[in-house]
């Protein structure tokens, strides 16, 4: 079947404004959006910019907005996007939001990864070496942070978040998921500095539970739930120490 790929193009070095360019592509219902993008760059227009690497939903590099929703191009089939298999459908493709466009569908992920790094997304070992040199953990303890290990840093949630529309300084859903991965790890000794990074005016507190991040996550991570659990953990931690959280007063 023939589809029109309406792609938002922008090269900050040469264009004043973004513009939409349409490409006609022959696809099968089981083709992925990434197949059509590769067809365009190989056969019609080699100047189209987009990222991709694994092509199998693992690396997170080809997240973009497809018909207004954040998705991985390599995991999105035309049969799941289009109502019928007849010719003439249009598929709209745009870059992710909340990050500056480098070229066409490629965004500058610098600020996204800066926020990710700010929550110390790595294991901090305890000072004392455990017996037999192993950090033991029960299956139940492991299950507590299993959900958060699935993140592939694709930034779909960052683009979908309505809080970042009004507050670009908000830490964003992905960084909180990355922090939760370690907050709930019984072996980790980095809780205090990690919670300090989260418990700030623009840390976890701006989240209003709109669930947009959860709706678009290609790994089906229950992001909003993890954010709310992290808020609860911060409150418990501060209460135990007789301290106040940085949560702004409501009203
Ligand atoms: S939480 Fe989900 S949507 Fe957000 S970066 Fe990770 S995989 Fe992507
Ligand atoms: S190209 Fe790696 S997730 Fe799509």
């Amino acid at each position: 079947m023939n589809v029109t790929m309406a792609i938002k193009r922008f090269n900050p070095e040469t264009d004043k404004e973004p513009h939409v360019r349409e490409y006609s592509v022959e696809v099968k219902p089981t083709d992925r959006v990434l197949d059509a993008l590769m067809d365009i760059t190989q056969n019609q227009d080699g100047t189209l910019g987009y990222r991709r690497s694994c092509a199998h939903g693992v690396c997170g590099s080809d997240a973009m907005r497809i018909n207004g929703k954040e998705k991985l191009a390599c995991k999105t089939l035309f049969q799941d996007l289009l109502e019928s298999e007849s010719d003439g459908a249009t598929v709209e493709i745009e870059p992710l939001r909340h990050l500056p466009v480098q070229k066409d569908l490629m965004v500058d992920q610098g600020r996204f990864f800066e926020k990710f790094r700010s929550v110390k997304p790595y294991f901090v070992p305890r000072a004392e070496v455990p017996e037999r040199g192993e950090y033991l953990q029960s299956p139940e303890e492991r299950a507590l942070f299993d959900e958060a290990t699935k993140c592939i840093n694709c930034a779909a949630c960052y683009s979908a978040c309505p809080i970042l529309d009004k507050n670009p300084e908000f830490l964003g859903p992905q960084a909180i998921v990355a922090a939760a991965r370690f907050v709930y790890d019984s072996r980790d000794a980095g809780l205090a500095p990690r919670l300090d990074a989260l418990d700030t005016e623009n840390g976890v507190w701006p989240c209003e539970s709109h669930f947009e991040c959860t709706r678009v996550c290609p790994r089906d991570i229950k992001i909003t739930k993890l954010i709310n659990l992290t808020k609860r953990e911060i409150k418990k931690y501060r209460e135990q120490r007789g301290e106040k959280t940085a949560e702004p007063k409501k009203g």
Side-chain angles (χ1 to χ4, degrees), residues 3 8 19 53 101 104 116 143 146 151 153 166 177 179 182 203 223:
V3 294
K8 197 168 182 181
H19 57 281
S53 183
V101 173
D104 303 330
F116 169 64
D146 196 56
C151 176
N153 290 7
K166 53 186 181 182
V177 169
F182 296 97
I223 305 173

Side-chain angles (χ1 to χ4, degrees), residues 11-95:
N11 181 349
E13 289 177 9
T14 53
D15 299 335
K16 283 200 174 62
E17 295 290 332
H19 57 281
V20 175
R21 172 124 191 237
E22 295 189 348
Y23 301 89
S24 174
V25 187
E26 278 301 318
V27 296
K28 295 192 284 295
T30 50
D31 280 349
R32 307 159 306 169
V33 168
L34 180 61
D35 296 318
L37 293 176
M38 291 195 295
D39 186 295
I40 292 168
T41 45
Q42 283 161 13
N43 301 310
Q44 298 189 44
D45 183 351
T47 69
L48 175 64
Y50 58 90
R51 278 198 189 91
R52 63 114 193 168
S53 183
C54 71
H56 286 88
V58 179
C59 72
S61 59
D62 65 343
M64 55 189 71
R65 284 170 54 88
I66 301 173
N67 283 349
K69 283 283 168 210
E70 287 74 9
K71 295 176 188 291
L72 296 178
C74 66
K75 296 279 282 181
T76 306
L77 307 184
F78 283 97
Q79 67 188 15
D80 297 330
L81 276 180
L82 307 176
E83 282 171 15
S84 82
E85 293 183 10
S86 37
D87 290 344
T90 296
V91 176
E92 292 176 1
I93 312 279
E94 301 163 286

